[in-house]
Amino acid sequence: MSTIQPPHDRGKLRDLAVAVAAEAGELAARGQAGITVLDTKSSPTDVVTEMDRATEELIRDRLLAARPDDALLGEEGGGIEGTSGVRWVVDPIDGTVNYLYGGPDWGVAVAAEVDGVIVASAVAVPVRGQMFDAVLGGGARLGGRPLNAPEAVPLEQALVATGFGYSADRRIRQAKVLTEVIGRVRDIRRVGSAAVDITGLALGRTNAYYERGLHLWDWAGPGLIATEAGVRVGGLRGGPPTNDLVIAARPGLYEELDALLAPLGADTDG
Ligand code: LIP
């Protein structure tokens, strides 16, 4: 006999995400000084520190203690199956290279997904004392206050953030795409954390963002915060965001950037 589950309370999922991201952010911030590389992943420059692992462990323990039937997808620990219909998507430290070098631009991202849709999200940027959160259909907040992204600017006045993958071949290709973009916009920023880049759109730190080759944990939770702040988060040619390409900007600018990137094949490696 099948049991019908009540709808998940998005506000409660958001509150849990915020509490866990805050605790994880404190742990990671305490551990930043003197951090060393523990291992590498996709390439010798794709590092993992002991704090990436310890922070993900704390997040996993706290989420599953509160909600033992949920599933979890984490950057460092792979996946855990669940039965509740909720899956947590977790990036314990997004911007690991910034973290390793003692910089402030790294974040802890904890998001809840129901039926493949992110419904609640928290991103802590601990060194900057920031906590972003959002609920699908319920708005975005920074430090508990409503957050609305500034209006779009024309492409030629847009400050555009982007990032590069860890494989040398992909980076070279991304740099080629960039040579076509940089002459058409105000300037480019490479912050080093997709979570900081995407949530930063809601603050007007930059006007637009695009990146090829992210993983779900890099963009999905931060993406809900940006969307709820009025930013369009999608993929190439107006499609949905994917790991192949994420584009994010206020409507109007989004379409201009999409039209620039599409003929460049910014979602491919060749
Ligand atoms: C990183 C991103 C960064 C991007 C890298 C990588 P990590 O995540 O946030 O902006 O350019 O490709 O995905 O590895 O620090 O969690």
Side-chain angles (χ1 to χ4, degrees):
M1 194 177 76
S2 71
T3 51
I4 297 173
Q5 290 173 340
H8 299 284
D9 182 329
R10 294 174 181 176
K12 282 194 180 149
L13 293 172
R14 185 265 324 273
D15 292 347
L16 179 59
V18 168
V20 172
E23 189 183 349
E26 277 169 29
L27 175 79
R30 278 200 306 274
Q32 191 176 12
I35 193 74
T36 52
V37 173
L38 186 66
D39 207 349
T40 59
K41 297 186 284 186
S42 62
S43 84
T45 51
D46 185 5
V47 294
V48 55
T49 71
E50 76 236 37
M51 289 310 296
D52 288 273
R53 297 221 175 123
T55 306
E56 183 161 316
E57 234 172 81
L58 179 140
I59 294 171
R60 190 187 55 221
D61 290 353
R62 295 293 185 270
L63 291 174
L64 297 185
R67 299 180 52 93
D69 299 332
D70 291 355
L72 187 142
L73 173 71
E75 176 173 14
E76 311 303 340
I80 294 171
E81 303 278 303
T83 55
S84 68
V86 173
R87 180 172 76 154
W88 294 93
V89 180
V90 170
D91 192 342
I93 298 178
D94 181 69
T96 303
V97 175
N98 287 345
Y99 182 81
L100 184 65
Y101 279 73
D105 287 318
W106 53 271
V108 177
V110 178
E113 183 193 68
V114 177
D115 297 330
V117 177
I118 302 288
V119 299
S121 168
V123 173
V125 185
V127 179
R128 297 196 182 279
Q130 293 170 331
M131 175 63 76
F132 298 87
D133 68 56
V135 161
L136 181 65
R141 303 187 303 183
L142 172 63
R145 296 201 175 154
L147 193 55
N148 289 299
E151 289 306 314
V153 296
L155 183 65
E156 62 272 16
Q157 287 170 31
L159 186 59
V160 179
T162 192
F164 304 101
Y166 288 113
S167 106
D169 287 349
R170 175 163 291 172
R171 286 174 168 199
I172 289 165
R173 166 86 184 121
Q174 287 172 313
K176 283 185 182 149
V177 170
L178 190 60
T179 60
E180 301 292 331
V181 175
I182 198 164
R184 300 282 307 278
V185 300
R186 180 190 294 272
D187 206 347
I188 293 291
R189 291 291 178 270
R190 197 306 190 231
V191 168
S193 160
V196 173
D197 278 324
I198 296 170
T199 53
L201 293 169
L203 296 176
R205 282 261 173 83
T206 59
N207 303 111
Y209 168 77
Y210 76 94
E211 185 162 350
R212 163 157 176 71
L214 295 175
H215 298 281
L216 190 68
W217 48 75
D218 296 311
W219 61 264
L224 177 65
I225 292 161
T227 304
E228 288 294 328
V231 173
R232 179 172 177 188
V233 180
L236 211 59
R237 299 174 194 89
T242 65
N243 292 350
D244 287 337
L245 197 74
V246 174
I247 303 175
R250 269 284 205 182
L253 176 56
Y254 178 101
E255 290 75 11
E256 281 196 87
L257 183 57
D258 189 2
L260 173 62
L261 292 170
L264 301 175
D267 58 342
T268 65
D269 282 336

